[in-house]
Amino acid sequence: MPDGVLAELLGRIAIATSAGIDTRRAWANEAAHAPARWRPALEEVARSLAGGGTLTESLAAAGATFPPVVQGMLAAGEEAGCEPDVCRELAAQCRRSAQVARQLRQSLIKPAIQAVVAVAAVSVLILMAGGSFDMLGLGLRGVPGVITFLTIVAAAGLAGWLACVAALRSWQRRGVVRHLVARLPVIGKAAADAELAAWCRAASLASGIGLDVRKMMALTSAVAPGLAIEPATAAARLRDGLSLTDMLRETKLFPRSLLEAVGVGELTGTTAETLDRLAEQCDDAAARGFAAAARGAGAAVWLAVAAVVVLLIFRLFSTYVGILQAAGRGL
């Protein structure tokens, strides 16, 4: 379920349960008025609750509709008896995530349009190439050449998508892609900031309702696999007398800014609030980084178009020079 839809759903559940409406009735009402796409999943939750199931069991019955952090936090809220508060906090977090995602999509619109224009321009040049004259020097002419070119572009786009999926998995598993991307000047820091924001958000929610370190680490690992910490190991280190800050420092996974924020939070008893503020800062930094990367991609597309135009000019010039030289030799 998208963050925007999830935020509205959880916000209404929070209002209903805060007003004293039974959880089963609140979810049944949401199922009755849900958009068609999400109605079956919400009806499954409502049926499970009506049959005596817990909220944890009912959300699990809906499959992958609800993200792991939402399932985990609602389960913790049900156990602690503070479901309305958890729903309210989750709604706010989802709303913020949806806003960041919307900003990222908006930053990608211009490069996408530039790429379409570039492909269209090259297609027109290929279509104009007739007879023995190859305007681009690619061996592509006329309608068959355009079809071949568009097929190549589509195959390259599919390969790029699959490469991105594989890269994301490698990033989450701390594979080679993570080390390569981390060295990139703009996109590397933006990716790291986005992952850190997700970790901080989950940790803030968990700390806010007083979850123990095992459950906190399980939730943060679910939303930020690249920053995963084994819950049993974390609990053992805290039992050994380490503070949360020292335990996180031992992992060597977190930047100094987070360690300092957690340290201040532990001293002042405001860990949840401190992590929430840090999550907002990381979200903003990630959005700026991705937007800058998108602008760079757009500039690269225009440079490619300029290179094609320059190539075309030189080919036309050399062709006419060749024609004039042949005419001169004929005389």
Side-chain angles (χ1 to χ4, degrees):
M1 186 177 290
D3 283 335
V5 178
L6 196 55
E8 296 301 320
L9 169 66
L10 293 172
R12 290 191 296 269
I13 292 291
I15 293 173
T17 51
S18 295
I21 296 176
D22 183 70
T23 299
R24 289 173 294 183
R25 183 180 172 188
W27 282 92
N29 183 63
E30 289 299 323
H33 299 90
R37 181 179 178 184
W38 306 111
R39 190 172 300 148
L42 292 179
E43 287 176 346
E44 186 64 35
V45 174
R47 275 195 298 270
S48 179
L49 286 171
T54 65
L55 183 57
T56 305
E57 295 167 344
S58 302
L59 293 176
T65 301
F66 298 96
V69 68
V70 171
Q71 295 191 37
M73 289 302 302
L74 288 179
E78 182 181 40
E79 182 180 342
C82 56
E83 182 187 341
D85 295 333
V86 171
C87 285
R88 192 176 299 108
E89 288 299 320
L90 280 171
Q93 298 286 10
C94 290
R95 205 170 288 117
R96 196 151 44 230
S97 296
Q99 182 181 6
V100 172
R102 185 166 54 251
Q103 292 173 348
L104 176 59
R105 287 194 297 269
Q106 290 173 349
S107 68
L108 293 174
I109 291 176
K110 185 176 179 181
I113 294 175
Q114 291 171 333
V116 171
V117 171
V119 170
V122 174
S123 299
V124 170
L125 292 176
I126 293 174
L127 189 63
M128 292 171 59
S132 59
F133 180 55
D134 182 3
M135 297 183 75
L136 297 176
L138 300 176
L140 303 176
R141 301 180 182 87
V143 174
V146 172
I147 294 175
T148 302
F149 173 69
L150 293 179
T151 302
I152 294 172
V153 170
L158 178 60
W161 172 257
L162 293 176
C164 288
V165 172
L168 179 59
R169 290 178 180 174
S170 178
W171 171 275
Q172 293 175 341
R173 297 171 182 173
R174 304 178 194 171
V176 64
V177 170
R178 188 181 189 88
H179 300 290
L180 293 176
V181 172
R183 288 176 170 78
L184 298 179
V186 177
I187 196 71
K189 187 177 185 307
D193 284 334
E195 186 176 45
L196 189 62
W199 192 96
C200 289
R201 193 173 297 113
S204 172
L205 289 170
S207 178
I209 64 171
L211 291 188
D212 60 46
V213 71
R214 283 177 178 268
K215 293 181 179 179
M216 178 188 288
M217 293 303 109
L219 285 171
T220 55
S221 298
V223 300
L227 299 175
I229 302 173
E230 176 61 36
T233 302
R237 296 304 290 151
L238 291 181
R239 284 197 301 270
D240 290 340
L242 289 183
S243 64
L244 178 61
T245 306
D246 291 334
M247 185 274 291
L248 296 176
R249 183 180 289 111
E250 274 191 351
T251 65
K252 299 182 179 179
L253 295 174
F254 299 93
R256 181 179 176 182
S257 58
L258 182 136
L259 297 175
E260 291 178 347
V262 174
V264 171
E266 284 189 295
L267 288 174
T268 59
T270 58
T271 302
E273 294 81 356
T274 303
L275 286 173
D276 186 57
R277 286 194 296 270
L278 185 58
E280 291 185 18
Q281 295 171 8
C282 291
D283 270 335
D284 292 340
R288 289 194 300 269
F290 285 129
R295 289 193 296 270
V301 170
W302 284 129
L303 286 175
V305 173
V308 171
V309 172
V310 171
L311 172 65
L312 176 60
I313 292 173
F314 275 105
R315 284 187 60 79
L316 288 172
F317 180 75
S318 62
T319 299
Y320 284 119
V321 168
I323 293 172
L324 293 176
Q325 289 176 343
R329 286 194 296 270
L331 296 175

